[in-house]
Amino acid sequence: MADVPVSGRVTGENGDPLPGVTIIVKGTTQGITTNADGGFALNAPEGSTLIFSYVGFSRKEVTISGATTSLNVSLIEDTRALSEVVVVGYGTQERGSVTGAISSVGSADIVRQPVPDATQAIQGKVSGVTITSNGGAPGGAAGTSVRVRGITSAGFNSPLYVVDGFPLPAATDGNGNATNTELTNISPNDIETIDVLKDASATAIYGVRAANGVIIITTKRGKAGRTSINFDAYRGVQTVARRLDLLNAEEYATINNEARIAAGQPIALEKLRNPSALGEGTDWQDLLFRRAKIQNYSLSATGGSEKAQYALSGTYYQQDGILLGSQFERFTLRANGDVRLGRIFKVGNSIALTHLSDRQVPTNNGEYGTVQQLLRMPPTVQPYRPDGFYYQPNNDADNFTEENPLATAQRVDQKYTRNRALTTFYAELEPLKGLRFRTNVGADFIFDNNNAFAPKAPELEGYTTRPTYLIANASASSSYAPTYLIENTASYDHLFDEKHQVTLLLGQSAQQFNFSNVVASRSNYTRNDLRTINSGPINTLLANGGTIDTPRRLASYFSRVNYEFAGKYIFQATARYDGSSRFQSGEKFGFFPGVSAGWRISEEDFLKGNSVVSNLKVRAGYGQVGNELNAGRYAYLYSVNFGITYPLGDGTLQPGGAPTRLANPNLRWEKNEQTNIGIDAGFLENRFEASLDLYSRNSPNLIAGVPPSLVSGTYESVATNAASAYNRGLDFSITSHNFTGANQSLDWSTTLNLSAYKTRLVSLGAGIPYNGQGSLSGTIVRYDEGYAFGSFYGLIADGLIQTQEELTTLNTGANVNNPKNDLYYQRQATAPGDIKFRDLNGDGTITDADRTFIGNPNPNFTFGITNTLSYKNFDLSFFIQGVQGNDVYNLNRYITENALYGTTNGTTRILNRWTGPGTSNDVPRAIVGDPNGNLRVSTHYIEDGSYVRLKNLTFGYTLPRTLMSRISANQVRVYFTAQNLLTLTKYTGYDPEVSASGVDQGIYPQARVFMGGINIGF
């Protein structure tokens, strides 16, 4: 065939030109690369096929039907290809040279989902990483629990986040508990890649902070070439994905009357005497849940020359919550720049400014949050008074006195704001090729303000006003948390004798964390329109305070050696010497090594060029890393309590102090030892790619409380490195390029990620078992040897007692060895229809000694399946995510089943209550007071938390270039997205994704989202 001239331009999905794209005539070695503007020109045989390939993008084939000067090709970003270069901490590596366990996610996957927190966008897309939303509060305010390869501690388990080389301070509340909100200040639109370092051979470079994995976020930077301007916008509506079937007024009255009659009590209210006359009553879910808007607008500009590049962006994100009273708003500005000053010197910066404000409602943080109150509220109670204020139930009219959930959600005028500036600056000198000296300095300034005013309620004759509403009060707090960083590194990279690739790294890092705050409150305001602290009255109810914490410091020295021979044999060794100010002198510093090796078998002569196996690499690694955050401040010192009083002289109590906790000068950070074995494989020219990792993580010196000696004169447990635990599992991922489109034909790829792990608390050493999360019903979580972290603890429910004969037999067994015959199997008032608990110790009676471990919140495995399809100008993607084998303690049922025993509302489940032998073996009888203690912590309230969710569905259309040229645009794409569209689960609560604890304590439900958007590139 005769050669014909072919020329055109290659761009990305957003219309940006792609310089350096390789263009090869298929079946030959003839080819060229695109210029800085993405342009190209070559001669190719008519009828031949051109192959376009570029790092980070899917390969595309185009058949040449004749001469053309306008062959415009758009390459689609490919996270598989993008991960060919990964960030490894203080540097980058080619994917083929990586010997640790590292996964990457690109910007295309991150921005596809309308989430405020980028960690939510990678849920199910990284094997070995379990991501659980702590609730659907707007702006991600509830946080996102991220567990890299499971749980290593009973305390802090969140990974270290590093943004553009700056390790972020851990997000914690005032008590040091993780809030998991590190990334809510960053716009997902600004992120280029997220790299997850999972094993210790990869994370050891971060030493004492790396036990829970490291997540490295790289934001977008400018590229040489023509300036590119992009605008992205979406707007949508949110609704609660699932509602519970609550009792209506007639059903509520029926149950309430039955419970009182069973207890020998009269019907509570005259209006309840005829349930059929009450009708539906108040639907509290209709009143509290709403259709809420979500919107995001992002404008960015990138470009530059060979000497200077820039990336500028601004994003506005706003989300109303599906629960009344909740909302979130965020503004972000980012400026990244790189400038080459001469041949050997380069400088650059990253500046990110964030302003956010939100108003949240109390959920999942106690027994009386908005969701809990919504479930409790009887449908026979009216929502508002005639004057429009929130109606307060009372005993006389409602036989109910708890707070109206509308008031719980809305009465207090409160606002939280955060202003944050995260900035880094680097200077790099390269006096010789491959030899680089780099200094990186940074600062993170966080300013938080929280203001609240609870107005005085207007009094109305004939209506009850809640006592706490009779006094107006205000509170305010302000905090300042600056973090400073300086790092110096020297690196050398050189290929010797065309076979020996050597990379050396030496570095020093120092980081300081400061915190100070002031708080104030005033009460008994006389007016509701003067709402600031300064406007309040001066009285004895005035209070103020503040803290200035001692700075926390880290000092570190680190090194890394990489060696690769002939592209086949790979070795890496890492060492970090870390010091932390949290510990006593002599225990401040520790050594954290890591080593790994790999063998690229596919590069061996006996496999190279194989038509079936296109890539095969085995790797192994070992390392030690630490976790300093579980120690707490000054946990190694004596504790003295000055709140102790002593009777002196005439017996009058006088204030004093006494030691209450012994010192432990040997307290150290928790250490984690990790071993990893992995294999990476590609088949049929990498049409199928798979990765499998097996790992073991051992924690030999976890911090646990050890009771003091009785003769010590103290009573508080001493923090000691006494406990040990292990965590073992596997990560698996596979990608299939089902169809590789040419000439805009069908392109379809599928990726499956799967993760599984088992965790055990092996030993408590000198420590003793201790309780974790509890509730009004008692302790739910307990830590003990031989069980998984966070396991549920309580009684085992063996159905219901059906007959009096069965109960008599049980009570008789309780008195086999009791001549007095005054014992009962459960309680004296136990009757048929009550829960029968299992007697584990065989003494014939049910006591606390019969409690055992009854559930595990950790899943057997998690998975995610992503399908991406494109055909001509259309694209479709859908993402399915799921969790299997985890238990959930449904504390909401403690509330709703209380309708059988008290005055609260319940779900229609209790309509199937026990009313006689054989009528139910699951839902107990209705009787006021719960004389059997059916509400005790037991397996009765444990449910299967497994689910499969259609997390995201996106359909898009890119306008033809003939239309885009009319507005001088390089790309215009419109799309429709649905999130949380369908969830398959047996769980009976609002949402099976109930936070990492597995306890559903009135969690804020996740929303179902429908939205439309547009991407425009110029």
Side-chain angles (χ1 to χ4, degrees):
M1 300 292 290
D3 285 356
V4 294
V6 179
S7 61
R9 190 164 177 263
V10 182
T11 62
E13 289 179 277
N14 58 4
D16 287 351
L18 296 179
V21 175
T22 300
I23 307 170
I24 298 289
V25 179
K26 191 172 184 178
T28 74
T29 58
Q30 177 187 354
I32 60 169
T33 59
T34 58
N35 60 26
D37 195 39
F40 68 93
L42 80 165
N43 293 323
E46 187 174 0
S48 64
T49 299
L50 297 183
I51 301 175
F52 295 78
S53 60
Y54 189 58
V55 172
F57 292 79
S58 297
R59 191 177 73 167
K60 178 168 284 189
E61 297 184 4
V62 178
T63 300
I64 302 303
S65 57
T68 179
T69 59
S70 58
L71 180 59
N72 294 317
V73 177
S74 177
L75 298 185
I76 298 173
E77 189 176 280
D78 180 8
T79 55
R80 171 183 62 95
L82 185 66
S83 63
E84 289 178 1
V85 176
V86 297
V87 181
V88 294
Y90 305 102
T92 60
Q93 282 184 320
E94 293 184 4
R95 170 63 67 181
S97 300
V98 172
T99 52
I102 302 175
S103 296
S104 304
V105 179
S107 60
D109 280 330
I110 297 169
V111 301
R112 189 169 285 134
Q113 298 191 55
V115 292
D117 184 341
T119 54
Q120 297 176 12
I122 65 173
Q123 184 181 40
K125 296 187 177 182
V126 178
S127 63
V129 181
T130 303
I131 296 177
T132 307
S133 172
N134 295 334
T144 304
S145 295
V146 179
R147 300 291 180 261
V148 178
R149 293 187 162 181
I151 300 173
T152 61
S153 172
F156 191 84
N157 282 286
S158 297
L160 171 68
Y161 294 89
V162 180
V163 177
D164 289 336
F166 191 101
L168 296 182
T172 58
D173 61 16
N175 298 315
N177 301 309
T179 60
N180 307 296
T181 55
E182 281 88 348
L183 297 189
T184 55
N185 300 275
I186 299 175
S187 170
N189 295 79
D190 291 339
I191 297 176
E192 182 71 30
T193 60
I194 296 178
D195 294 276
V196 183
L197 282 56
K198 296 182 287 188
D199 77 316
S201 70
T203 62
I205 196 71
Y206 289 104
V208 76
R209 291 181 286 179
N212 302 315
V214 179
I215 296 181
I216 301 178
I217 291 91
T218 303
T219 60
K220 296 175 180 176
R221 307 195 76 84
K223 299 178 178 64
R226 194 179 68 176
T227 297
S228 180
I229 299 175
N230 293 280
F231 176 72
D232 176 53
Y234 64 75
R235 185 180 175 94
V237 62
Q238 311 162 93
T239 59
V240 62
R242 181 183 194 179
R243 295 192 180 210
L244 303 187
D245 293 326
L246 300 180
L247 299 177
N248 62 28
E250 178 182 351
E251 295 164 338
Y252 168 81
T254 300
I255 297 295
N256 191 268
N257 293 344
E258 181 181 316
R260 294 184 68 85
I261 292 171
Q265 300 179 12
I267 292 176
L269 301 171
E270 189 62 30
K271 68 179 180 180
L272 302 182
R273 195 170 294 278
N274 182 13
S276 61
L278 295 174
E280 293 293 320
T282 302
D283 188 329
W284 289 99
Q285 291 184 108
D286 270 353
L287 291 171
L288 269 297
F289 289 120
R290 63 179 176 180
R291 290 168 59 91
K293 69 177 181 293
I294 180 173
Q295 55 188 331
N296 186 85
Y297 307 95
S298 178
L299 180 65
S300 65
T302 61
S305 64
E306 294 296 331
K307 291 187 176 181
Q309 302 87 42
Y310 65 89
L312 306 172
S313 67
T315 303
Y316 171 71
Y317 176 88
Q318 190 272 332
Q319 183 182 16
D320 289 335
I322 56 174
L323 273 172
L324 281 180
S326 55
Q327 58 198 32
F328 177 89
E329 186 177 51
R330 180 181 64 208
F331 300 85
T332 58
L333 293 173
R334 179 173 292 276
N336 293 346
D338 303 278
V339 178
R340 183 168 292 280
L341 303 174
R343 185 180 59 85
I344 64 172
F345 193 57
K346 182 180 179 181
V347 295
N349 74 285
S350 296
I351 300 174
L353 305 176
T354 302
H355 169 79
L356 65 83
S357 63
D358 73 0
R359 185 190 187 279
Q360 301 295 337
V361 297
T363 56
N364 208 41
N365 56 355
E367 307 292 338
Y368 296 97
T370 303
V371 174
Q372 296 101 317
Q373 291 301 92
L374 179 158
L375 297 175
R376 285 188 175 98
M377 208 66 180
T380 54
V381 174
Q382 66 191 66
Y384 299 102
R385 304 186 319 197
D387 63 352
F389 194 74
Y390 310 109
Y391 177 79
Q392 172 57 43
N394 62 84
N395 267 326
D396 294 337
D398 308 291
N399 193 36
F400 191 82
T401 60
E402 294 185 16
E403 187 176 33
N404 185 330
L406 290 168
T408 305
Q410 299 179 100
R411 187 181 75 89
V412 178
D413 177 14
Q414 58 186 24
K415 184 178 183 180
Y416 165 78
T417 61
R418 165 170 285 189
N419 293 294
R420 185 172 193 172
L422 175 61
T423 178
T424 58
F425 172 84
Y426 76 86
E428 183 177 282
L429 180 68
E430 188 176 7
L432 300 173
K433 184 178 181 181
L435 177 63
R436 296 182 178 89
F437 298 95
R438 183 183 178 103
T439 294
N440 185 52
V441 295
D444 181 17
F445 303 104
I446 302 176
F447 303 85
D448 288 345
N449 288 282
N450 206 333
N451 293 278
F453 182 84
K456 179 180 179 181
E459 296 188 55
L460 184 64
E461 185 176 355
Y463 288 86
T464 300
T465 301
R466 195 169 182 83
T468 55
Y469 293 3
L470 294 174
I471 298 176
N473 55 76
S475 63
S477 65
S478 180
S479 66
Y480 174 48
T483 302
Y484 307 99
L485 172 75
I486 181 168
E487 295 177 327
N488 295 283
T489 60
S491 63
Y492 181 66
D493 186 5
H494 189 74
L495 177 64
F496 295 92
D497 197 25
E498 299 184 354
K499 287 187 177 181
H500 306 274
Q501 180 70 51
V502 177
T503 303
L504 305 175
L505 172 71
L506 288 173
Q508 164 274 331
S509 175
Q511 195 164 5
Q512 177 173 300
F513 309 85
N514 293 35
F515 178 83
S516 60
N517 77 326
V518 292
V519 295
S521 64
R522 285 187 174 182
S523 192
N524 208 17
Y525 282 63
T526 58
R527 300 174 61 99
N528 283 340
D529 56 346
L530 299 177
R531 300 192 167 198
T532 64
I533 288 291
N534 289 343
S535 302
I538 298 176
N539 53 37
T540 57
L541 301 178
L542 182 149
N544 57 71
T547 60
I548 300 177
D549 285 350
T550 301
R552 181 170 68 91
R553 298 183 176 94
L554 292 171
S556 311
Y557 307 91
F558 52 88
S559 64
R560 181 170 59 217
V561 177
N562 294 85
Y563 172 72
E564 186 170 344
F565 175 74
K568 302 176 186 179
Y569 313 111
I570 312 165
F571 174 80
Q572 175 179 292
T574 303
R576 182 160 176 137
Y577 189 61
D578 253 336
S580 170
S581 63
R582 280 182 177 264
F583 303 97
Q584 178 90 332
S585 297
E587 300 290 349
K588 292 182 182 297
F589 281 87
F591 179 67
F592 301 94
V595 62
S596 60
W599 178 23
R600 298 182 68 183
I601 305 174
S602 55
E603 293 299 308
E604 296 287 358
D605 292 340
F606 61 82
L607 197 57
K608 197 169 185 177
N610 187 283
S611 60
V612 177
V613 180
S614 45
N615 178 48
L616 183 61
K617 179 175 69 174
V618 293
R619 43 191 171 75
Y622 170 82
Q624 295 181 1
V625 285
N627 185 348
E628 58 146 0
L629 292 178
N630 287 328
R633 290 190 179 93
Y634 308 117
Y636 59 87
L637 295 177
Y638 282 98
S639 175
V640 178
N641 186 340
F642 287 97
I644 298 175
T645 58
Y646 297 87
L648 299 176
D650 59 358
T652 303
L653 293 177
Q654 300 293 334
T660 56
R661 186 187 70 206
L662 296 174
N664 179 12
N666 298 317
L667 183 67
R668 299 176 60 84
W669 50 77
E670 297 177 340
K671 183 171 66 174
N672 195 253
E673 302 169 345
Q674 304 179 17
T675 303
N676 186 88
I677 300 174
I679 182 170
D680 304 319
F683 304 96
L684 303 177
E685 296 186 352
N686 285 340
R687 184 161 186 171
F688 300 96
E689 296 176 284
S691 180
L692 174 67
D693 283 88
L694 304 176
Y695 62 86
S696 175
R697 309 174 70 192
N698 295 305
S699 301
N701 68 337
L702 295 179
I703 296 174
V706 173
S709 166
L710 295 178
V711 298
S712 69
T714 64
Y715 57 85
E716 292 183 33
S717 293
V718 180
T720 307
N721 297 102
S724 62
Y726 74 78
N727 193 36
R728 296 165 188 160
L730 65 86
D731 309 338
F732 175 72
S733 65
I734 184 170
T735 297
S736 169
H737 302 276
N738 307 313
F739 294 96
T740 303
N743 295 330
Q744 293 189 316
S745 61
L746 178 63
D747 192 288
W748 174 24
S749 65
T750 302
T751 298
L752 165 67
N753 289 296
L754 186 144
S755 309
Y757 68 88
K758 295 292 184 182
T759 179
R760 287 290 182 274
L761 182 55
V762 176
S763 171
L764 285 169
I768 60 175
Y770 57 98
N771 296 332
Q773 184 173 350
S775 71
L776 292 174
S777 59
T779 297
I780 298 174
V781 174
R782 188 170 174 81
Y783 297 89
D784 200 355
E785 296 177 352
Y787 296 94
F789 285 105
S791 292
F792 305 143
Y793 187 75
L795 298 170
I796 296 176
D798 277 337
L800 306 181
I801 300 171
Q802 295 293 331
T803 64
Q804 184 59 46
E805 290 75 17
E806 180 184 1
L807 179 60
T808 299
T809 300
L810 293 170
N811 287 335
T812 300
N815 290 282
V816 169
N817 298 313
N818 178 36
K820 295 182 178 180
N821 202 40
D822 58 355
L823 298 178
Y824 299 92
Y825 180 73
Q826 291 181 168
R827 292 180 179 177
Q828 183 176 2
T830 298
D834 284 328
I835 295 175
K836 179 173 65 176
F837 298 108
R838 186 179 299 177
D839 177 22
L840 291 182
N841 64 1
D843 65 356
T845 60
I846 299 301
T847 64
D848 283 349
D850 294 303
R851 292 183 300 169
T852 187
F853 288 88
I854 57 176
N856 184 355
N858 301 291
N860 292 335
F861 66 92
T862 62
F863 67 91
I865 304 173
T866 302
N867 278 276
T868 304
L869 302 93
S870 63
Y871 179 73
K872 295 187 177 179
N873 288 21
F874 296 93
D875 62 86
L876 173 70
S877 69
F878 57 94
F879 171 51
I880 298 171
Q881 174 258 337
V883 175
Q884 295 295 307
N886 61 304
D887 295 320
V888 172
Y889 196 89
N890 190 352
L891 201 57
N892 293 328
R893 278 182 43 208
Y894 169 89
I895 295 172
T896 58
E897 292 194 17
N898 201 22
L900 293 166
Y901 318 116
T903 61
T904 62
N905 197 20
T907 62
T908 55
R909 180 179 187 272
I910 66 175
L911 297 177
N912 299 317
R913 66 205 176 280
W914 186 94
T915 56
T919 54
S920 175
N921 197 40
D922 184 37
V923 184
R925 63 177 176 143
I927 181 170
V928 165
D930 186 22
N932 184 57
N934 292 328
L935 292 173
R936 283 179 281 183
V937 176
S938 74
T939 56
H940 182 72
Y941 300 99
I942 291 180
E943 300 185 26
D944 182 2
S946 304
Y947 68 89
V948 177
R949 174 172 286 162
L950 180 54
K951 188 73 175 181
N952 184 271
L953 174 66
T954 298
F955 177 74
Y957 177 72
T958 301
L959 272 62
R961 291 197 172 276
T962 54
L963 294 178
M964 290 188 289
S965 62
R966 297 179 183 178
I967 58 172
S968 300
N970 292 325
Q971 187 212 30
V972 178
R973 176 177 175 267
V974 293
Y975 61 92
F976 171 81
T977 292
Q979 189 177 21
N980 298 327
L981 193 59
L982 175 68
T983 302
L984 303 177
T985 183
K986 294 180 181 179
Y987 183 64
T988 62
Y990 281 112
D991 190 346
E993 192 175 349
V994 298
S995 81
S997 72
V999 178
D1000 188 350
Q1001 200 170 357
I1003 196 168
Y1004 195 123
Q1006 292 198 57
R1008 178 177 291 130
V1009 184
F1010 297 95
M1011 69 175 204
I1014 186 170
N1015 306 120
I1016 304 176
F1018 297 96

